[in-house]
Amino acid sequence: MPTNFTVVPVDNAGEAGNSAAAAEEGKPASLGNIFQEEAEEENVQGLNSGDEGQGESSPFINSDSDGDYYYEGKNMALFEEEMDSTPMVSSLLNKLANYTNLTQGVREHEEAEYEDGIQRVAVRVPQMGTFIGVYLPCMQNILGVILFLRLTWIVGTAGILGSFAIVSMCCICTLLTAISMSAIATNGVVPAGGSYYMISRSLGPEFGGAVGLCFYLGTTFAGSLYILGTMEILLLYIVPTATVFKEGEDEARLNNMRVYGTCCLLLMALVVFVGVKYVNKLSLVFLSCVFLSIMATYAGVIKTVIEPPEFNVCLLGNRSLRNDKFGICAKTEVVKNNTLTTELWSIFCDSKYPNATCDPFFTNNNLTEIRAIPGLLSGVIKDNLWGEYAPAREPIEKKSLVSEQDPDTPTDTYKPYVFNDIATYFTLLVGIYFPSVTGIMAGSNRSGDLRDAQRSIPIGTIMAIVTTSIIYMSCVVLFGACIEGVVLRDKFGYSVKKTPVIGVLAWPSPWVIVIGSFFSCCGAGLQSLTGAARLLQAIARDGIIPFLQFFGHGKANGEPTWALLLTVGICEIGILIASLDAVAPILSMFFLMCYLFVNLACAVQTLLRTPNWRPRFKFYHWTLSFLGMSLCLSLMFISSWYYALVPMVIAGCIYKYIEYRGAVKEWGDGIRGLSLNAARYALIRLEEVPLHTKNWRPQLLVFCKLNSDLEVKHPRLLSFTTQLKAGNGLTIICSVLEGTYMTREKDAKTGEQSLKAAMVAERTKGFSHIVVSSDLRDGFSLLIQSAGLGGMKHNTVLMAWPAGWKQAGDSSARRNFIETVRETTAAHQALLVAKNIDHFPSNQERQKEGTIDVWWIVHDGGLLMLLPFLLSQHKVWRKCKMRIFTVAQMDDNSIQMKKDLQMFLYHLRLDAQVEVVEMHDSDISAFTYEKTLMMEQRSQMLKQMQLSRTEREREAQLIHDRNTASHSTNEKAAGAPPDKVHMTWTKEKLIHEKNKHREGMGVKDMFNMKPEWENLNQSNVRRMHTAVKLNEVVVKNSQNSQLVLLNMPGPPSNKKGHENYMEFLEVLMEGLDRVLLVRGGGREVITIYS
């Protein structure tokens, strides 16, 4: 439905007096200036991608600077603050109306001329319509060497029906591809770059680079094909005596093709290097040769109805003979009443006399002459309906004639029979014929020169395909209806005096075909070299394949010098093959690969229904694209399955290379949309069914702290994440900034870039996220609740131990940590806390020996045992052995516990050493009371004293120093902490243990301390006792371990005394270097079942 626009002028009466001055001084609105500030900001932030000059991520096309224009209007004052991001509609429409799209070389040439401020040559905007810009170039590229040199042979070998099937399949394939290409070409402005641009921007840089390179190789080998065709015409039909090699006809012919083909390639490369404008000037001449040759062929068909040509074929029995070796098709001739032997007699016999010994086949069969071109009304079409395939080196025979031959006598290959030079079969003919329908991209390659590319490309391309399809199908029928079968199967025209078979049919002379096809192949070869070099330059300048970037450079006017040299080198490979029949299937594969992905691009875009997919060409459907894609794939394997693997392997390698090393590009491609759809589908499916224990793995939410410079404070936390995840599962690296998003927007973006840079440096695969919150505590809570999406939500939180919580001026660090522990528990998420994270190994280090010790105190889902296994999969921890310690109480049977634990680990398929530590009930030591007292004193003093921040820090540090001094005094007095747990207690042992600790107090008299002990919170005393005893046992057994994993006790339900909980954990980890506190999420994460 058309949309009507109404332009309403808005008059400003107050400014009427200044309108004249405004008219004189005002300039058209320029989007370049409107966006200038924004562009500068983006460049400062490093966000300018520089992918394309056309600004594909923007709805605006050009952004040329028009001077010092700025917005002064008063009528739109309501929107004046948004003008830098949302310009006036009039400005946008002005830029759209003045949009120009020059070809790549012309644009660079124009820019080079303006560098010194002087315009030397005025560049005219190209204005080409559908007929000149698309239809004729496509016709010229489609009609070519195969039509003139191989179509008659294909018709004779495959028959009219088989040839019609081959032509129909190939033409339908290109027609479906053209429909898909038309849909893509009309979905927005098509800049210069044509088919490569369409594929890469539709399927993304990986597919675009892979298919673009295949298209480049196909175009390059097409140049080889046209040059070989040119040399075949030159050496066989124009100057057959100009040969360098003489010995061995087939080998000599191939070597001559190599020598002359190389010379022709160098000459064409020189022409292209000097200036492509000469190629363009001659294109009309080359196109005229093509149409003149076709018209001569149709004229010859009409003439056969009136008078067939006087070309005869000599047959010996039913075998076709090469009549370039003799003049008369007879064994003897009568000259002046004397019977003399002919040249044929001398060839087949050992002498020229009648009594000579002759070849048996020559003796037993007669020589006959038949017309090479019986004519359209002769009925020869019945004989040519079905194909006649034959092996190599077998003479061409007319099956309707009978000959006498000895089956035991082999055919003499040195006799003047016409032989099949290669074995023929249907699939081979498909591969040889397909290059004759390539060239449908010629119009889209000229998209920068078209007046209206969106209209011209679909109409011109489809009309050219329809026209050429009619020509090819009519030629198949007419050749089969006019030409004798043995002549059709004669590939090089040996049986008609080395004349091209299509030339025998043409009127008025075979030379029309010879000269026309010669210049046609020359022109096609020049255009292939030109197009291939520019295509390689476009791929190189896109920057998606790093090792090709060198070929993006060229001359000052943009001519692709280095790309041309590489193109010539690859083209030489095809020329060294020296066989048109061997090169044709190679380029068929590359073109079919390209067409396959054009159809895939259209099908993907249509099925995804992306909002930007709005082609003006409406006669397409995803089923047609899918059919075209299937037909392309089928033709590839029909032609040659091993040839088909070559472009697939090349495209696959280039795809993976771009994915691994290529530049990061965002072109809004369909593959990204497909990934989004697949991700959405997978996320929905994940939520439908709860996760099974066998599929559980830690999906990490990593709290990463940033310093004042917004750099990652603990990069080893990311290293440990990498070692734990090894690239599998979900990883979200996040941080919280304090403030409001409006004031800290730039800090948030800078922090996120820092996180991404740190993730790249530490090889952490995952996502980064920065949250700005007025309170850090709320920010952490928000992340725990909302990070992730659908079924891909985190189930584990990883953070570093807040080492400076004692020195902090306020209790925020302690409170944030404890609330995080509480919230993860409430959210049923596991929690990992790493102490001394900066001491953990980097990804480059290797732990050559040592152990990972797991202290399994309580069972909270088995995460403690799963984590060492996951770490051991990484090369850093691979050589570390796993040990599991568990604690036995007084009523436990430690021996049976060890056996049960070993059996449990066996069923879990975990290799670990098992140790059971007996920890019986014991009296609480004086050291424990002292630690508890110091802890409660610190807490009480910080609560009651209303001090300034500096004084509170000093007071907290003083208490900490006193605590440390007391601890060290105890150690000096007592020698060392108790290094063993008493298994049984007697009265004497109890008194001795008490006296030992009392002697080491050294701070206050024990009797004076007794009342203070009695006032202590008994719950705190018990907890401290457990922490001290556990720490003694852990330090004794695991002090030299590479990593210690401990059950993390939960905070007390009473929220008073948060600092007490932190003290317990400090005492529990005291004396250990690398510790990972683990708190389960309340579900089983490991199972013995398969």
Side-chain angles (χ1 to χ4, degrees), residues 680-691 789-793:
R680 180 186 63 85
Y681 175 77
L683 288 172
I684 293 174
R685 288 295 305 273
L686 282 174
E687 275 200 318
E688 291 177 356
V689 180
L691 187 68
L789 181 64
M792 286 296 286
K793 290 184 70 70

Side-chain angles (χ1 to χ4, degrees), residues 732-901:
I732 304 175
I733 311 296
C734 59
S735 185
V736 179
L737 299 180
E738 193 167 8
T740 62
Y741 188 75
M742 297 298 294
T743 58
R744 304 204 65 180
E745 175 190 359
K746 291 184 179 180
D747 290 344
K749 292 181 178 179
T750 304
E752 190 155 359
Q753 293 297 325
S754 299
L755 284 182
K756 289 180 179 178
M759 290 171 68
V760 172
E762 301 298 336
R763 300 180 182 178
T764 304
K765 297 180 180 179
F767 309 96
S768 61
H769 190 47
I770 295 286
V771 169
V772 181
S773 177
S774 57
D775 183 72
L776 293 178
R777 162 79 188 79
D778 294 338
F780 290 128
S781 176
L782 179 65
L783 287 170
I784 291 174
Q785 295 177 59
S786 61
L789 181 64
M792 286 296 286
K793 290 184 70 70
H794 63 279
N795 54 28
T796 305
V797 176
L798 172 62
M799 60 189 301
W801 172 258
W805 69 272
K806 291 184 179 180
Q807 289 78 24
D810 54 24
S811 59
S812 61
R814 179 178 69 250
R815 188 178 66 254
N816 289 342
F817 176 80
I818 296 175
E819 288 303 317
T820 301
V821 176
R822 283 200 171 97
E823 290 197 352
T824 53
T825 304
H828 302 289
Q829 296 174 7
L831 178 64
L832 309 178
V833 180
K835 179 193 175 186
N836 295 331
I837 186 62
D838 294 328
H839 297 176
F840 277 56
S842 66
N843 291 325
Q844 286 71 36
E845 298 178 28
R846 301 290 183 272
Q847 304 299 317
K848 296 182 179 180
E849 58 184 9
T851 60
I852 300 176
D853 287 355
V854 177
W855 285 85
W856 191 19
I857 311 300
V858 295
H859 178 67
D860 55 358
L863 183 59
L864 267 173
M865 288 174 287
L866 183 62
L867 290 177
F869 170 76
L870 296 176
L871 285 173
S872 65
Q873 304 302 303
H874 196 273
K875 53 190 175 183
V876 172
W877 304 94
R878 190 165 293 158
K879 294 185 178 180
C880 291
K881 296 180 179 179
M882 178 179 171
R883 294 193 302 178
I884 294 184
F885 294 86
T886 189
V887 176
Q889 300 297 324
M890 177 154 326
D891 298 333
D892 296 330
N893 185 338
S894 58
I895 298 176
Q896 187 63 37
M897 280 182 64
K898 185 172 183 178
K899 290 181 180 179
D900 293 342
L901 183 54

Side-chain angles (χ1 to χ4, degrees), residues 833-1086:
V833 180
K835 179 193 175 186
N836 295 331
I837 186 62
D838 294 328
H839 297 176
F840 277 56
S842 66
N843 291 325
Q844 286 71 36
E845 298 178 28
R846 301 290 183 272
Q847 304 299 317
K848 296 182 179 180
E849 58 184 9
T851 60
I852 300 176
D853 287 355
V854 177
W855 285 85
W856 191 19
I857 311 300
V858 295
H859 178 67
D860 55 358
L863 183 59
L864 267 173
M865 288 174 287
L866 183 62
L867 290 177
F869 170 76
L870 296 176
L871 285 173
S872 65
Q873 304 302 303
H874 196 273
K875 53 190 175 183
V876 172
W877 304 94
R878 190 165 293 158
K879 294 185 178 180
C880 291
K881 296 180 179 179
M882 178 179 171
R883 294 193 302 178
I884 294 184
F885 294 86
T886 189
V887 176
Q889 300 297 324
M890 177 154 326
D891 298 333
D892 296 330
N893 185 338
S894 58
I895 298 176
Q896 187 63 37
M897 280 182 64
K898 185 172 183 178
K899 290 181 180 179
D900 293 342
L901 183 54
Q902 288 175 337
M903 182 59 64
F904 182 55
L905 292 178
Y906 174 78
H907 287 303
L908 290 175
R909 292 91 64 200
L910 295 176
D911 296 326
Q913 179 182 346
V914 176
E915 297 289 344
V916 178
V917 177
E918 295 181 346
M919 191 171 173
H920 294 228
D921 293 336
S922 62
D923 284 351
I924 300 173
S925 65
F927 174 70
T928 301
Y929 279 109
E930 182 68 17
K931 291 286 290 184
T932 308
L933 178 62
M934 293 299 177
M935 177 186 71
E936 292 195 355
Q937 283 180 347
R938 179 209 307 272
S939 176
Q940 191 67 21
M941 289 174 66
L942 289 179
K943 286 180 181 179
Q944 293 179 355
M945 298 175 64
Q946 301 296 327
L947 302 175
S948 65
R949 180 170 182 174
T950 305
E951 291 171 329
R952 291 180 67 182
E953 288 179 357
R954 190 184 305 117
E955 185 67 23
Q957 185 63 40
L958 181 62
I959 296 174
H960 173 69
D961 294 342
R962 186 172 62 181
N963 185 9
T964 305
S966 173
H967 188 186
S968 61
T969 304
N970 289 339
E971 289 183 349
K972 290 178 182 178
D979 58 352
K980 63 181 180 179
V981 178
H982 294 283
M983 301 308 163
T984 58
W985 286 89
T986 62
K987 186 175 182 180
E988 290 76 15
K989 285 184 179 181
L990 179 60
I991 296 173
H992 175 71
E993 186 70 11
K994 289 180 179 180
N995 291 335
K996 185 169 68 172
H997 284 289
R998 285 171 181 169
E999 291 173 0
M1001 292 297 294
V1003 179
K1004 292 186 177 181
D1005 184 66
M1006 283 294 298
F1007 296 101
N1008 295 331
M1009 290 287 290
K1010 190 70 175 178
E1012 297 181 15
W1013 287 4
E1014 292 177 352
N1015 294 329
L1016 291 177
N1017 187 322
Q1018 293 304 309
S1019 176
N1020 288 340
V1021 172
R1022 289 196 306 274
R1023 285 186 169 85
M1024 184 63 74
H1025 175 67
T1026 304
V1028 169
K1029 287 300 181 183
L1030 272 178
N1031 177 256
E1032 290 175 357
V1033 177
V1034 173
V1035 169
K1036 177 183 177 181
N1037 291 278
S1038 302
Q1039 191 168 19
N1040 296 323
S1041 298
Q1042 298 294 344
L1043 180 64
V1044 177
L1045 280 75
L1046 287 169
N1047 276 118
M1048 180 179 182
S1053 57
N1054 185 6
K1055 292 188 177 183
K1056 296 180 180 180
H1058 288 171
E1059 66 282 350
N1060 299 342
Y1061 176 67
M1062 302 293 287
E1063 287 280 3
F1064 297 147
L1065 296 182
E1066 282 280 12
V1067 171
L1068 183 62
M1069 297 183 292
E1070 195 170 6
L1072 300 173
D1073 186 20
R1074 299 174 187 156
V1075 182
L1076 186 67
L1077 294 177
V1078 181
R1079 183 165 175 78
R1083 64 159 294 170
E1084 293 293 332
V1085 301
I1086 194 167

Side-chain angles (χ1 to χ4, degrees), residues 37-256:
E37 288 187 17
E38 184 177 349
E40 290 175 358
E41 290 181 3
E42 289 180 351
N43 287 333
V44 170
Q45 296 173 9
L47 299 176
N48 188 11
S49 63
D51 289 351
E52 299 85 25
Q54 301 296 340
E56 295 161 24
S57 61
S58 169
F60 314 113
I61 300 174
N62 278 348
S63 57
D64 303 331
S65 179
D66 292 331
D68 299 329
Y69 172 80
Y70 61 93
Y71 180 73
E72 294 180 345
K74 300 295 189 295
N75 293 322
M76 295 297 171
L78 183 62
F79 299 96
E80 62 185 7
E81 293 184 359
E82 302 175 0
M83 282 299 166
D84 55 346
S85 60
T86 54
M88 294 287 294
V89 174
S90 58
S91 302
L92 173 62
L93 295 178
N94 179 52
K95 301 306 290 186
L96 287 172
N98 295 329
Y99 169 67
T100 62
N101 192 358
L102 304 180
T103 58
Q104 191 173 32
V106 175
R107 181 180 296 278
E108 290 164 359
H109 187 52
E110 182 185 36
E111 292 171 355
E113 289 166 351
Y114 273 104
E115 284 179 358
D116 55 359
I118 301 173
Q119 183 183 11
R120 299 186 182 90
V121 181
V123 181
R124 182 177 61 86
V125 177
Q127 295 291 323
M128 299 176 67
T130 302
F131 186 76
I132 298 296
V134 181
Y135 181 77
L136 291 183
C138 286
M139 290 282 290
Q140 183 179 359
N141 279 267
I142 294 173
L143 300 172
V145 60
I146 301 296
L147 172 64
F148 300 122
L149 297 183
R150 291 295 182 269
L151 188 58
T152 54
W153 173 70
I154 292 173
V155 173
T157 305
I160 295 175
L161 297 179
S163 302
F164 204 84
I166 293 173
V167 173
S168 299
M169 281 194 303
C170 296
C171 290
I172 291 173
C173 176
T174 54
L175 180 62
L176 294 173
T177 303
I179 292 173
S180 299
M181 184 187 70
S182 299
I184 298 173
T186 57
N187 186 50
V189 177
V190 182
S195 53
Y196 162 70
Y197 180 93
M198 289 190 296
I199 296 171
S200 61
R201 271 56 177 181
S202 297
L203 291 179
E206 292 86 1
F207 278 107
V211 180
L213 204 61
C214 285
F215 190 44
Y216 162 73
L217 292 174
T219 308
T220 304
F221 277 105
S224 302
L225 181 79
Y226 291 125
I227 292 173
L228 289 175
T230 304
M231 292 302 100
E232 186 174 306
I233 295 169
L234 179 70
L235 297 177
L236 281 178
Y237 309 125
I238 299 179
V239 193
T241 57
T243 55
V244 178
F245 299 91
K246 305 290 185 182
E247 298 179 359
E249 184 174 355
D250 289 340
E251 279 299 320
R253 179 171 59 84
L254 295 178
N255 290 329
N256 287 323

